[in-house]
Amino acid sequence: VNGLQARTFGVWTLLSSVIRCLCAIDIRNRTLYYLTLFTFFLALIHFLSEVFIYHTAALTIGVMAPLMVASFSILGMLIGLQYLEVEALSQNKKKN
């Protein structure tokens, strides 16, 4: 890893964190919700590819932790997405 790669990964991590915090603040924003879900999928794919495709990372606790966080976050957000859609439908019925 050189300095450029480390800074790029750091900026990517910071950007993902900002998106996730904004989603936590405005959880009903569907676009932001989908974007946040995408960041978790991207992280999961990135770490899985480093372990199983490129073989540049070992399956240690340092890699397992982000894999578990991304997996559980995706699962939770997919469950939460159902409630977000139900809430949107009920608000549309109230307007009509």
Side-chain angles (χ1 to χ4, degrees), residues 22-66:
L22 290 174
C23 183
I25 292 169
D26 187 13
I27 194 88
R28 290 180 178 86
N29 185 333
R30 292 173 58 90
T31 304
L32 195 53
Y33 196 90
Y34 284 119
L35 186 62
T36 303
L37 184 59
F38 178 72
T39 65
F40 285 115
F41 273 115
L42 192 61
L44 183 67
I45 291 168
H46 168 72
F47 282 103
L48 286 174
S49 68
E50 291 298 330
V51 172
F52 296 111
I53 296 173
Y54 301 113
H55 305 289
T56 55
L59 205 53
T60 62
I61 192 67
V63 174
M64 290 291 291

